[in-house]
Amino acid sequence: MIIKNWIVLYCLFSITLLFGQETIKSESFIVYGTILEIETNQPLEYATIILKNTETQKITGGITDKLGNFNIQTPKGIYDISVEFISFKTKKFHLQNITASKNLGIIKLEENGKDLDEIIVISEKSTIDLRLDKKIYNIGKDMTVKGGTASDVLDNVPAVNIDPEGTISLRGNESVRILIDGKPSELIGLNDVNALRQLPSDAIEKVEVITSPSARYDSEGTAGIINIILRKGKTSGFNGSANATLGDPKNYQTALNLNLRSNKINLFSNLSYNDGGSPGIFDSNITYLTNKIIDSTRIENRVYDRNRKSLNANVGLEYSINESSSITANIFLKDSNEQNISSNTIGSFDDSDNNLYNSIRIQDEREKNKTSQFSLNYVNNFNKKGQQLTIDIQHSESRENESAVITDIYPETTATDRFSEKQLIQSDYILPIGENAQFEMGYRGNFENLIADYVVIAPNLDPRFNPSNKLDFVQKINAYYTQFGNKVNNFTYLLGMRVEMTQIDIKLINSNQNFNKKYTNLFPTANIGYKISKERSLTLGYNRRLRRPRSRALNPFENRASEILFYKGNVNLDPTYSDSFDLGYLNKWEKLTFNSSIYYQHSTNNIVRVNSQEIRVINDKETSIIVRVPINLASEDRVGFEFTTNYTANNRVKLSGSFNFFQFETKGEYSYDTTNPITNTTSTISQNFDAKNTSWFTRFDAKITFPWEIQSQTRILYTGPRNDAQSEVDGLLSVNLAFSKDLFKRKATLVLNINDLFNSRKYNFKNYAPSKENPTNISDQTYQRRIRQISLNFSYRWNQKKKIKKRNSDEINDF
């Protein structure tokens, strides 16, 4: 196996190196160097380098990366060069004769003490970094997420949408991969949605949206990747911040961020505690039909009362071995307790609306979660030109214990014990070739082992339908990649290839069933950029990706909150494969930035959730139930257009908006057998899922500064209606409103936040089973995960400067 892996890696290396042989030598020259802070020798990211041609007066320039390095391509000539960084003294190099590539060496900037007391810097939310393979949205001073969670932050990012059920989608596609600091993380946990609601927004620095990922990223997620970057202290000395939140419904939060940085050591930490409640509703009106004539109806009105307490601790230590290498150790701990009480009022009626049956089904569910994660990172920068080796090792464990007592005419109890263990090994090597080219190769191993024991005790439940079972899930993924990038005049390209070898072993222990899957896939990527002018640029991307079914989608267990509406997994699911194309355009004026893209995606073996129908005996009556299950369909084609725009009218009015329109066409049929428990007769139901539909969503944001420096922020989100072969979903409107005021010489901030101002964030939809054309039941449902929330947040900073990064952050960075 090891020999085979190295043969694959060698082939990828050889293929990619061929791209490098065609590098066209540029007639321009490179001005490069490194910018450090004079006191700590720490790199200054986003420092600005300005080159002014003394003859033509033409100005070019660039910014430094996270290591303080810069590489600027410029024609032959004599230049005045200045190096600037906010709150630091400018350093100038006059009359520099550039007749060959020039190394300015290490440039050390000194803090401007006069400015430090006057300048308060904030990374404004509107800042967008557009790179060849990603878009970076800096969270900055976003009032509407103060006192919120990671879920609230993502709901604020253009192109990202979170529906009332908590499902995260990118450009309307739910197959999105979520990473923490560039890697899969146990911070996400066994359930993405619930875990994100436990991560405080204050811990997040920025979010990367990668719709055309390069080969260095996992191939998982056909829609793309959302990478959440956590805060790590960068300011020298001891500094930190503390904040507290009070809200109604219950939302008590407190967080403490501490950082100590010296020449050799950077100690950083994020500590938070959350005690919150999230009341919600789920109403269902189900109509049963025989030959399209109403037979009976069933009404379920479910009220949720969720209460969660969680403690998060993230502590890290970065040690600089020497000027070129460092090692970082990080440990994350999470301890949470949750209680979910749902009260389901049930009524059953005949075709004449006569009452047949009434009951109240109460589920008291309690969940405990303990998570730990340890990671180790090593970085070696061999030289100032960008040659680099990184090595990452990560180990995590998570245990969830759930128990539920269901009170009804016939009581039930359920218990679930899950234990997950994950390991990650990763190594990346970057080799600059010449002045503009770069070669990269790497390996990543992801290894996961999950054991889930699910027990249902229901004396009145037909044993044939008892979903109790024990799942043993093992997944091993070995991935190798290589890519080559180059800049030729105004063109920039990045070509790559990734190979992933996946092995999945599933055991359903109680039923003595084994499922084994093994597959190897190639994933080519290509990203091309063309800089039309300083203000305008084009990007074109292609990538092949997949969507692996997760353990929850494979697990055939059922939720018992309702007797007639179930969600269960499908152990026979296969991965979805997609080919995606993305064409982007950026134009920037003095006060307006316009960023747009057209995209197309073709997916095969598409994973979708469908409504299937079964006959079960409930309360001594033959009853038709709905089982929502994921299946593989033949194909899906998706095409769309999106744009994001930012407009700065003046220092007191800033507007931004985004719009995404997409059309999807699904093709495929699904057949399944259903058995009548009374007659033991089996019938086959076939469903056609051919459907074509359009949908859209838009977001508008306004930030206005009033007298006395009171700031307001209004965000309006609308998601358009959507239909498919089995369902119809109504449009949804949501409005958030926030006010903030800086206090104590801008060392503190007070924020009033109203989430869902009109309490309109409700998910209204209609499902048909088995099909719209010939339904045997129709369900009208309304779901609201949480009601309107009002919160007050207070934050205080010490020895910490808020940073206004006045930089041209919309330009394309090469790699």
Side-chain angles (χ1 to χ4, degrees):
M1 183 66 179
I2 295 177
I3 296 175
K4 177 183 175 182
N5 292 345
W6 280 106
I7 291 175
V8 171
L9 185 61
Y10 173 77
C11 292
L12 290 175
F13 176 86
S14 302
I15 292 172
T16 308
L17 203 57
L18 290 176
F19 294 128
Q21 304 304 317
E22 299 178 5
T23 302
I24 300 176
K25 187 174 181 180
S26 173
E27 295 181 359
S28 300
F29 303 107
I30 300 296
V31 177
Y32 60 96
T34 304
I35 300 177
L36 305 177
E37 183 180 2
I38 193 169
E39 292 184 0
T40 64
N41 283 325
Q42 295 299 319
L44 292 176
E45 185 180 6
Y46 301 120
T48 303
I49 303 89
I50 302 173
L51 286 75
K52 182 177 182 181
N53 191 302
T54 58
E55 180 178 350
T56 66
Q57 301 300 306
K58 184 177 180 181
I59 296 177
T60 59
I63 60 175
T64 55
D65 60 19
K66 63 181 180 180
L67 301 175
N69 298 327
F70 63 89
N71 285 270
I72 303 172
Q73 183 175 344
T74 189
K76 176 182 177 181
I78 298 177
Y79 292 85
D80 285 335
I81 302 175
S82 62
V83 180
E84 302 175 356
F85 191 72
I86 192 72
S87 78
F88 282 73
K89 294 180 180 179
T90 300
K91 182 162 286 191
K92 297 184 178 181
F93 301 85
H94 294 290
L95 302 177
Q96 298 294 308
N97 190 8
I98 308 298
T99 58
S101 292
K102 187 178 186 66
N103 183 5
L104 295 181
I106 297 177
I107 304 169
K108 296 187 177 182
L109 298 186
E110 179 182 358
E111 286 186 319
N112 190 339
K114 180 180 178 180
D115 293 340
L116 290 181
D117 295 330
E118 300 174 355
I119 296 180
I120 298 265
V121 187
I122 300 174
S123 303
E124 293 294 341
K125 181 185 69 63
S126 59
T127 300
I128 300 175
D129 294 337
L130 179 63
R131 299 187 182 178
L132 192 58
D133 60 349
K134 73 179 74 171
K135 297 174 185 176
I136 303 175
Y137 297 91
N138 297 291
I139 302 305
K141 194 180 180 182
D142 188 351
M143 293 175 278
T144 63
V145 300
K146 286 293 184 182
T149 65
S151 180
D152 298 314
V153 170
L154 292 186
D155 205 21
N156 179 45
V157 175
V160 178
N161 194 25
I162 301 180
D163 68 24
E165 289 185 295
T167 303
I168 300 169
S169 62
L170 179 59
R171 290 176 168 175
N173 189 342
E174 297 176 6
S175 175
V176 57
R177 177 67 155 165
I178 299 177
L179 304 176
I180 300 289
D181 290 334
K183 298 182 289 294
S185 174
E186 205 59 55
L187 273 73
I188 300 299
L190 298 174
N191 186 320
D192 291 2
V193 176
N194 286 336
L196 290 172
R197 292 193 179 105
Q198 297 179 35
L199 182 64
S201 60
D202 188 65
I204 300 173
E205 179 179 351
K206 56 188 176 182
V207 176
E208 297 178 341
V209 175
I210 310 169
T211 53
S212 184
S214 68
R216 75 165 63 98
Y217 296 102
D218 283 343
S219 63
E220 176 76 28
T222 58
I225 292 172
I226 296 175
N227 184 25
I228 300 173
I229 307 296
L230 300 182
R231 294 187 184 276
K232 301 176 182 67
K234 297 180 181 179
T235 307
S236 60
F238 176 73
N239 57 85
S241 65
N243 72 77
T245 301
L246 296 174
D248 181 47
K250 186 174 68 172
N251 180 20
Y252 307 142
Q253 290 189 43
T254 182
L256 182 65
N257 300 319
L258 299 174
N259 182 70
L260 177 64
R261 177 182 281 275
S262 64
N263 290 337
K264 282 281 190 180
I265 293 176
N266 178 30
L267 178 63
F268 54 91
S269 63
N270 298 289
L271 310 172
S272 65
Y273 175 76
N274 180 305
D275 183 1
S278 180
I281 62 170
F282 189 1
D283 296 333
S284 299
N285 190 333
I286 305 172
T287 302
Y288 297 97
L289 302 99
T290 302
N291 297 324
K292 297 185 178 181
I293 298 175
I294 296 177
D295 175 71
S296 61
T297 59
R298 181 182 174 105
I299 298 175
E300 294 193 0
N301 296 316
R302 201 180 313 174
V303 178
Y304 291 99
D305 186 11
R306 303 179 183 88
N307 291 277
R308 178 188 297 116
K309 296 180 180 180
S310 64
L311 177 66
N312 295 275
N314 186 23
V315 181
L317 175 65
E318 178 185 4
Y319 175 72
S320 299
I321 302 172
N322 50 48
E323 289 188 357
S324 62
S325 62
S326 65
I327 187 168
T328 303
N330 191 82
I331 186 169
F332 169 79
L333 300 172
K334 179 175 71 175
D335 190 346
S336 66
N337 289 276
E338 185 173 346
Q339 182 181 21
N340 297 329
I341 299 177
S342 67
S343 178
N344 190 1
T345 302
I346 304 168
S348 182
F349 305 87
D350 63 16
D351 57 348
S352 299
D353 207 26
N354 297 312
N355 184 255
L356 301 176
Y357 168 81
N358 292 305
S359 72
I360 298 178
R361 187 178 179 87
I362 299 175
Q363 176 174 285
D364 185 353
E365 182 181 39
R366 299 169 189 261
E367 177 182 332
K368 293 183 179 180
N369 175 279
K370 292 183 181 295
T371 298
S372 63
Q373 176 178 289
F374 175 78
S375 58
L376 197 64
N377 167 263
Y378 170 76
V379 179
N380 190 342
N381 298 295
F382 296 98
N383 52 47
K384 300 300 181 180
K385 296 183 179 181
Q387 185 179 3
Q388 184 186 74
L389 172 68
T390 62
I391 299 174
D392 289 278
I393 300 174
Q394 183 173 287
H395 176 84
S396 59
E397 295 181 358
S398 181
R399 180 177 292 278
E400 289 184 5
N401 300 106
E402 295 180 10
S403 62
V405 176
I406 299 173
T407 303
D408 202 342
I409 295 176
Y410 301 103
E412 299 179 14
T413 60
T414 66
T416 307
D417 186 7
R418 301 187 188 94
F419 177 76
S420 172
E421 188 175 23
K422 299 178 183 178
Q423 293 85 31
L424 179 142
I425 302 173
Q426 178 176 333
S427 180
D428 301 278
Y429 176 69
I430 301 174
L431 176 66
I433 301 176
E435 296 176 350
N436 297 319
Q438 178 175 290
F439 168 77
E440 185 176 344
M441 62 187 297
Y443 163 80
R444 174 179 285 184
N446 283 304
F447 311 101
E448 178 183 0
N449 188 3
L450 169 69
I451 297 177
D453 192 1
Y454 183 51
V455 177
V456 175
I457 301 175
N460 195 57
L461 180 64
D462 190 323
R464 291 174 295 178
F465 305 119
N466 190 311
S468 299
N469 210 331
K470 186 173 183 179
L471 173 78
D472 189 346
F473 173 85
V474 178
Q475 180 173 266
K476 300 176 182 178
I477 304 173
N478 288 283
Y480 302 86
Y481 80 92
T482 180
Q483 61 184 15
F484 177 81
N486 189 26
K487 183 176 182 181
V488 183
N489 297 323
N490 290 334
F491 279 99
T492 308
Y493 64 84
L494 183 62
L495 308 175
M497 180 68 75
R498 186 179 186 91
V499 59
E500 293 190 353
M501 292 159 281
T502 305
Q503 180 178 336
I504 299 177
D505 298 309
I506 302 173
K507 296 180 181 179
L508 298 178
I509 296 176
N510 291 18
S511 56
N512 196 27
Q513 294 176 281
N514 294 319
F515 302 87
N516 308 103
K517 298 185 180 183
K518 193 174 183 180
Y519 43 90
T520 299
N521 303 109
L522 291 174
F523 300 96
T525 62
N527 288 288
I528 301 171
Y530 177 66
K531 193 170 184 178
I532 304 171
S533 65
K534 184 179 180 181
E535 295 80 17
R536 296 183 296 157
S537 57
L538 289 170
T539 59
L540 176 64
Y542 163 77
N543 62 81
R544 179 170 174 80
R545 300 182 63 75
L546 89 166
R547 177 186 183 183
R548 293 186 185 89
R550 298 193 177 186
S551 57
R552 183 172 181 266
L554 296 168
N555 197 333
F557 303 157
E558 299 175 352
N559 183 283
R560 299 292 300 169
S562 171
E563 291 181 300
I564 60 167
L565 298 171
F566 299 102
Y567 173 87
K568 63 186 297 185
N570 178 5
V571 75
N572 293 308
L573 276 182
D574 291 319
T576 296
Y577 296 93
S578 71
D579 293 274
S580 302
F581 299 85
D582 190 293
L583 176 63
Y585 172 72
L586 173 72
N587 199 345
K588 183 177 181 181
W589 295 270
E590 181 179 357
K591 293 185 176 182
L592 178 67
T593 299
F594 180 78
N595 180 24
S596 62
S597 64
I598 299 173
Y599 55 91
Y600 169 75
Q601 181 182 88
H602 175 71
S603 300
T604 57
N605 229 18
N606 197 42
I607 297 176
V608 296
R609 292 192 297 268
V610 302
N611 300 316
S612 60
Q613 184 178 329
E614 292 184 11
I615 303 296
R616 297 186 184 180
V617 175
I618 300 176
N619 300 323
D620 300 322
K621 181 184 177 182
E622 185 179 316
T623 306
S624 174
I625 70 165
I626 299 173
V627 180
R628 193 155 174 82
V629 60
I631 66 168
N632 291 111
L633 283 180
S635 67
E636 181 184 82
D637 288 282
R638 180 182 293 262
V639 62
F641 165 77
E642 70 174 357
F643 72 82
T644 301
T645 182
N646 300 315
Y647 175 68
T648 303
N650 50 54
N651 290 334
R652 291 184 172 272
V653 178
K654 297 180 181 180
L655 308 176
S656 64
S658 64
F659 177 81
N660 192 304
F661 174 87
F662 58 93
Q663 175 181 281
F664 58 91
E665 182 175 6
T666 302
K667 294 183 179 180
E669 291 188 355
Y670 174 53
S671 298
Y672 61 94
D673 293 332
T674 179
T675 302
N676 188 308
I678 304 297
T679 63
N680 285 325
T681 57
T682 300
S683 58
T684 299
I685 298 178
S686 296
Q687 299 171 238
N688 186 291
F689 284 91
D690 291 353
K692 187 175 183 179
N693 191 243
T694 59
S695 188
W696 58 282
F697 59 89
T698 185
R699 180 184 277 105
F700 173 77
D701 193 285
K703 296 181 70 174
I704 301 174
T705 302
F706 295 106
W708 302 287
E709 298 304 313
I710 296 175
Q711 291 187 328
S712 75
Q713 183 171 349
T714 304
R715 175 168 300 115
I716 303 173
L717 171 67
Y718 180 78
T719 302
R722 186 178 70 254
N723 300 325
D724 58 29
Q726 281 192 323
S727 63
E728 299 171 354
V729 183
D730 292 345
L732 182 148
L733 175 68
S734 178
V735 178
N736 295 343
L737 180 64
F739 298 92
S740 77
K741 170 65 178 172
D742 287 334
L743 306 169
F744 308 126
K745 296 182 179 181
R746 297 187 176 180
K747 292 182 179 180
T749 304
L750 186 66
V751 177
L752 174 65
N753 189 1
I754 306 174
N755 191 295
D756 195 8
L757 178 64
F758 301 109
N759 200 33
S760 58
R761 199 172 178 83
K762 297 178 181 179
Y763 192 42
N764 297 306
F765 53 97
K766 180 179 290 187
N767 289 327
Y768 299 83
S771 65
K772 287 183 179 179
E773 293 75 18
N774 189 27
T776 58
N777 61 66
I778 302 173
S779 59
D780 287 285
Q781 298 175 333
T782 298
Y783 181 59
Q784 184 179 26
R785 181 168 182 86
R786 68 178 184 184
I787 63 175
R788 175 178 51 235
Q789 186 171 70
I790 302 175
S791 62
L792 188 66
N793 174 270
F794 177 79
S795 58
Y796 184 83
R797 301 165 291 275
W798 61 91
N799 298 333
Q800 192 180 75
K801 295 177 283 293
K802 298 158 70 180
K803 297 184 179 178
I804 301 176
K805 297 176 181 174
K806 295 183 179 178
R807 61 181 187 272
N808 186 7
S809 57
D810 296 304
E811 293 187 358
I812 296 176
N813 295 304
D814 297 343
F815 309 119

